[in-house]
């Protein structure tokens, strides 16, 4: 594997599960208790901004709880980036900051970030570590805009797609970690990587929707699979 220079890693909610953050589609996942239509669409925000803000405020409060820390999988990916001779890009669907806190630098949040807010008027993005209410006005424009979570809702365009497509087209190795492969465009990345000639590996608790598309699939907890896989890559 040592001749594999460029690595692209896609992560999903499963990589943060052992840090105490819920996934979406597991039996105890977020969508088991809340409807996407009520909290994760632009229409939901127009219809009832207070409800949407409350949903993200609760998730932000949990993320800021000192008990929630990067786990061995996040830390292993930061080690890979540090010790691998070629470029390593982490593309995450997650809106938590656990990759950053583990030390990963080459990182793209394609679904946005829970600790940022965006003005609905001027588009200005600001860091946010407190409660957002629907009348939290932007300080940057004429005050007509209000701050919304800087996350990508269903029906909105994912972020950084040009950069992601370019990285996939040049990937030698594509690793998908902790994602069910239910949501596009992320679920289609394995196809793009294969077309670019990359080796494709899935590391997930159980087979994802797209497991058969991967050259190799390993199933188990991320905190076991990811450090072992990184060790293998660095030892090869
Ligand atoms: N280790 C590894 N994988 C795990 C673990 C674990 N400890 N726990 C759960 N998983 C796996 C599950 O088996 C599942 O395949 O993580 C995956 C989580 O899938 P989802 O809950 O669908 O989360 P994700 O794939 O990230 O969802 C994608 O959908 O709702 C939107 O915007 C949301 O970014 C999210 C997107």
């Amino acid at each position: 594997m040592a001749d594999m220079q460029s690595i692209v890693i896609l992560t999903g909610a499963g990589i943060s599960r052992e840090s105490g953050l819920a996934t979406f589609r597991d039996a105890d996942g977020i969508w088991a208790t809340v409807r996407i239509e009520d909290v994760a669409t632009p229409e939901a925000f127009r219809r009832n901004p207070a409800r949407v803000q409350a949903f993200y405020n609760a998730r932000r409060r949990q993320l800021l709880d000192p008990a929630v820390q990067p786990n061995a999988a996040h830390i292993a990916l930061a080690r890979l980036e540090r010790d691998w001779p070629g470029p390593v890009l982490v593309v995450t669907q997650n809106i938590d900051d656990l990759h950053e806190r583990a030390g990963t630098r080459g990182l793209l949040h394609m679904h946005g970030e829970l600790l940022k807010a965006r003005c609905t008027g001027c588009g200005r993005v600001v860091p946010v570590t407190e409660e957002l209410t629907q009348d939290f006005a932007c300080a940057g424009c004429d005050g007509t805009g209000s701050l919304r979570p800087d996350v990508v809702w269903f029906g909105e365009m994912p972020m950084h797609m040009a950069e992601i497509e370019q990285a996939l087209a040049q990937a030698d190795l594509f690793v998908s970690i902790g994602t069910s492969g239910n949501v596009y465009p992320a679920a289609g990345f394995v196809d793009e990587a294969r077309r670019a000639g990359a080796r494709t590996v899935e590391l997930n608790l159980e087979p994802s929707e797209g497991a058969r598309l991967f050259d190799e699939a390993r199933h188990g907890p991320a905190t076991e699979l990811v450090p072992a896989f990184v060790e293998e890559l660095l030892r090869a």
Side-chain angles (χ1 to χ4, degrees):
M1 283 190 195
D3 59 346
M4 284 186 177
Q5 277 308 301
S6 171
I7 303 177
V8 175
I9 299 161
L10 171 68
T11 64
I15 198 170
S16 297
R17 184 68 193 82
E18 292 162 272
S19 294
L21 298 181
T23 61
F24 291 94
R25 293 171 184 81
D26 287 325
D28 60 349
I30 291 172
W31 301 144
T33 54
V34 182
R35 286 176 0 120
I36 289 172
E37 301 75 16
D38 292 336
V39 295
T41 67
E43 295 72 31
F45 190 66
R46 272 193 290 279
R47 191 170 58 245
N48 187 342
R51 174 161 192 184
V52 174
Q53 297 286 24
F55 172 67
Y56 287 97
N57 287 339
R59 292 178 65 191
R60 196 174 298 113
R61 269 195 306 278
Q62 185 189 21
L63 179 56
L64 294 170
D65 180 331
V68 175
Q69 292 295 329
N71 63 52
H74 299 104
I75 292 164
L77 293 185
R79 175 188 173 214
L80 177 64
E81 179 185 48
R82 194 180 55 242
D83 298 345
W84 182 254
V88 176
L89 175 66
V90 175
V91 177
T92 188
Q93 299 173 92
N94 301 338
I95 59 176
D96 64 53
D97 66 339
L98 297 179
H99 281 303
E100 292 90 327
R101 284 161 54 189
T104 290
R105 292 189 309 282
L107 174 65
L108 295 174
H109 280 274
M110 65 181 290
H111 289 167
E113 298 178 62
L114 189 54
L115 298 183
K116 288 183 180 167
R118 185 168 78 241
C119 174
T120 57
C122 66
R124 187 162 169 264
V125 174
V126 295
V128 60
T129 55
E130 57 191 321
E131 305 288 288
L132 272 186
T133 61
Q134 64 274 27
D135 51 11
F136 204 107
C138 167
C141 59
D142 57 6
T144 53
S146 66
L147 291 178
R148 59 163 275 184
D150 191 27
V151 302
V152 175
W153 286 325
F154 285 87
E156 295 184 321
M157 279 303 291
M159 300 177 180
H160 310 297
M161 284 309 293
E163 243 178 299
I164 294 168
E165 305 284 353
Q166 188 182 9
L168 290 169
Q170 294 159 0
D172 298 300
L173 172 63
F174 174 75
V175 189
S176 176
I177 304 171
T179 180
S180 63
N182 270 292
V183 174
Y184 285 82
F189 289 172
V190 56
D191 272 332
E192 295 183 50
R194 288 173 68 88
R195 279 200 296 276
R199 176 163 172 263
T200 57
V201 179
E202 170 176 278
L203 307 177
N204 205 56
L205 190 64
E206 57 200 15
S208 72
E209 288 291 312
R212 73 197 181 293
L213 300 172
F214 288 84
D215 295 315
E216 183 185 356
R218 301 183 187 181
H219 298 128
T223 55
E224 288 174 21
L225 294 181
V226 180
F229 187 70
V230 166
E231 184 63 24
E232 271 178 46
L233 282 176
L234 294 176
R235 286 266 173 279

